[in-house]
Amino acid sequence: MTPASRSTSGSTRRGRAIKVPASPPGNSRSTASRTPSSSTTPPVMSMREGLVDLCIVGTDRTTAGGDVANKIGTYTKALAARDNDIPFYVALPSPTIDWEIESGAAIPIERRDSREVTHVEGWTEDGRRVAVRLTPAGSPAANYAFDVTPARLVTGLITERGICSASRHGLLELFPERRR
């Protein structure tokens, strides 16, 4: 559980990866990682306990201004990382950069069926699958598919061309052909 990693100075040190769910429980399934790691939840407590030195998440869409849209919970991780002085990086392939949108406020966010958060499904002792309501009948519920993390919370963007600041300027340093 302690893979060796090579630092930028060339020295080798032992590191430990802690894998946390991409989304809150019940929102989606976690994916396996090839990095030897421990699993933990919630990630915020791992940060508070000093178990996290660096946070790297992915993104589904990145604005030209450096805001990132990703699975629900990414924004919360970024806030916790900031509050605990932990660098927060976003790894992305360049096709996810939307050069036409400057701000995350312009990204339309899909809403999913609210029943996904008001109910839980499980199996009875006799093998029947049942849904159980978790909230009072008639309670309003929102089930957003993504959240948007503002660039101000992102330490840097990791792309196939290198690492840059989460800003138009930073992205244009790596992608000069996108200058207008």
Side-chain angles (χ1 to χ4, degrees):
M1 297 242 183
T2 55
S5 62
R6 179 125 353 242
S7 72
T8 54
S9 66
S11 64
T12 300
R13 69 180 192 112
R14 302 301 268 172
R16 181 178 169 147
I18 296 177
K19 180 175 46 182
V20 296
S23 300
N27 188 273
S28 71
R29 285 181 262 163
S30 293
T31 56
S33 169
R34 284 185 270 183
T35 304
S37 62
S38 301
S39 292
T40 183
T41 189
V44 173
M45 285 308 299
S46 298
M47 291 181 193
R48 286 196 57 184
E49 294 295 317
L51 299 174
V52 178
D53 297 316
L54 172 73
C55 187
I56 302 174
V57 299
T59 180
D60 291 296
R61 192 169 186 185
T62 304
T63 69
D67 295 343
V68 295
N70 198 38
K71 297 190 176 32
I72 287 292
T74 304
Y75 178 50
T76 306
K77 287 180 183 84
L79 289 169
R82 172 63 59 92
D83 195 51
N84 289 282
D85 297 317
I86 297 168
F88 185 85
Y89 287 89
V90 178
L92 61 130
S94 59
T96 65
I97 302 168
D98 188 333
W99 294 97
E100 304 303 315
I101 296 179
E102 190 67 30
S103 168
I107 297 174
I109 304 297
E110 169 195 355
R111 281 185 157 199
R112 295 182 176 157
D113 183 359
S114 62
R115 188 173 169 91
E116 291 179 20
V117 295
T118 61
H119 291 72
V120 63
E121 292 191 8
W123 300 96
T124 64
E125 291 298 321
D126 62 1
R128 291 179 298 119
R129 187 174 176 153
V130 297
V132 177
R133 175 179 281 285
L134 299 173
T135 60
S139 295
N143 185 15
Y144 297 98
F146 300 95
D147 59 24
V148 177
T149 302
R152 67 182 170 76
L153 297 177
V154 178
T155 304
L157 300 173
I158 304 169
T159 76
E160 68 273 17
R161 293 192 184 178
I163 301 173
C164 67
S165 66
S167 65
R168 177 175 281 280
H169 176 77
L171 285 167
L172 289 174
E173 286 181 345
L174 294 180
F175 300 92
E177 70 277 12
R178 293 295 190 158
R179 294 186 194 278
R180 295 180 196 166

